[in-house]
Amino acid sequence: MTDKTVLNATHRALGARMVDFGGWDMPINYGSQIEEHHAVRRDAGMFDVSHMTVVDLHGARTRDFLRHLLANSVDKLKVHGKALYSCMLDEQGGVIDDLIVYFFDDSHYRVVVNAATRAKDLAWIEKQAAPFGVEVKERPDYAMIAVQGPNARGKVLDLLHAEDRPRIEKLGKFAAAAAQGPGGMPLFVARTGYTGEDGFEILVPEEKAVALWEALAAAGVRPAGLGARDTLRLEAGMNLYGQDMDETVSPWEANLGWTIVLDEGRDFIGRAALEKQKAEGVKRVMVGLVLDEKGVLRHGQKVLTANGEGEILSGSFAPTLEKAVAFARIPAGEPGDIRVDIRGREVPVRRVKYPFVRDGKPCEGI
Amino acid sequence: MSEIPGDLKFLKSHEWARVEDDGLVRVGISDHAQGQLGDLVYVELPEVGASVQAGNGAVVLESVKAASDIYSPVSGEVVEVNEALSDKPEIINEDAYGDGWIFTVRMSDRAELDELLDADAYAELIENEDH
């Protein structure tokens, strides 16, 4: 059984090529993935991300619950609407999912988790929430549209109620607020994204989503598919759950150490395992690779290093760079000359610090 | 979807073959196939003079999405390759049946052409694939 977002007919009318994505019938592109990629880097593009799972958490002990559930610390969230990226770990320190949590007040938070992991995540969150008396309420009544690119914010702001505009214009990165959209539709506007560009991710009541999409299209925002979303986030150095990390991988091994807060006295799930790994030394690391010659790095290719074999996690042709880049997980230690087995050919690659692209431009050394 | 030229013959795996006036066979992929692959970013062409076998891999096309083997519809010797694709693989996306041709072959066995689908049969094949 394939799920459809409320924008499904809109995508089909635009001639989108549809694919199954984690059980959802989603647009991979509307013609050219590369042109959609460039539209986001240079102007403004929009993605239907309504397949993502929005969950509201209510209850007096919600803050305590999230301090236990998440490896990042919600204690960083002090202002209404502020957002935080975090991993949700199991007891072994493996990554169940990555998510964004929004703070409203100590008894009300909102989390947005991945679509493909929905059932697993909800079961885990509900199980962990019960002892805290926290209510876990999925919000399928929301659709979600990500509007991204250097001109994305401007185009969204133009569509907002005049009274809301200055406030949303001043919204800081990783913060969200309510605003009225076209015809007074109630929006939840977050200055977040998954492309390495500025922009908003907008929650909109399902029945208003088509009208919002059409208003954005009329304002010159170009529809972009999940194909472009994938190359944009890879260039931006952002992990994809299921490809770059899963339960068999700890955040240390997925370059997500920056999201781990080992603050005093906070007993979050997976903490003991993470501390043990750190003390013993992490055996695998995630690195960025660039292929300077022709060819494409792809998921599953073998990576050869002085310390043994690794593998390509996310890999693709990067349209902004016009060459292939990848994340790879390799044995820890000085890797020497790194090569990748591309269809039986050993091809030299360069290890680089990523992100590969930020704010429309290649990063230094890429 | 662009019209399928009537003078083409097809493999089920979406490669087309056209017999030219000089008897050489020009080879490419169908418009349907380029649409499925998405934006092409790299073409690994065969060497001129290489021998190819009907139904065997002769070319690798890499799109943003995936790498795909392209099979030769007929056996023989590669006479010419479309060098323009080295710099602009997207020509295949733009004109799969024309400027996006990939290589030409001097056929060793004309009977192999009879094994291929004609344009109508190929149209039917992709029609069924879409459902």
Side-chain angles (χ1 to χ4, degrees), chain A residues 37 41 230-238 243-244 287-299 301 303 312-328 340 342 349-357 362-363 365-366, chain B residues 41 64:
Chain A
H37 178 107
R41 284 274 178 260
D230 191 51
T231 49
L232 287 158
R233 69 90 196 165
L234 173 61
E235 285 186 347
M238 295 168 171
Q243 193 150 291
D244 300 314
V287 298
L289 301 178
V290 173
L291 175 65
D292 290 309
E293 54 184 270
K294 285 188 171 176
V296 184
L297 302 172
R298 297 191 190 278
H299 179 67
Q301 287 168 348
V303 180
I312 300 283
L313 308 167
S314 293
S316 176
F317 177 78
T320 309
L321 305 165
E322 297 189 312
K323 52 189 172 187
V325 300
F327 301 143
V340 175
I342 302 181
V349 291
R350 269 191 302 129
R351 179 183 177 177
V352 296
K353 282 208 167 117
Y354 57 86
F356 304 99
V357 176
C363 295
I366 308 298
Chain B
V41 295
V64 181

Side-chain angles (χ1 to χ4, degrees), chain A residues 239-312:
Chain A
N239 290 18
L240 172 63
Y241 188 81
Q243 193 150 291
D244 300 314
M245 73 289 198
D246 57 25
E247 282 98 344
T248 67
V249 172
S250 84
W252 305 131
E253 300 169 313
N255 242 358
L256 293 171
W258 61 278
T259 70
I260 306 299
V261 178
L262 300 173
D263 47 352
E264 220 173 290
R266 189 169 67 94
D267 179 28
F268 66 82
I269 302 166
R271 177 168 184 155
L274 290 190
E275 287 181 331
K276 182 162 179 276
Q277 279 183 28
K278 200 179 183 187
E280 290 174 354
V282 178
K283 294 184 178 57
R284 301 178 296 175
V285 292
M286 187 165 134
V287 298
L289 301 178
V290 173
L291 175 65
D292 290 309
E293 54 184 270
K294 285 188 171 176
V296 184
L297 302 172
R298 297 191 190 278
H299 179 67
Q301 287 168 348
K302 202 193 295 172
V303 180
L304 306 150
T305 79
N307 302 314
E309 287 179 6
E311 71 166 336
I312 300 283

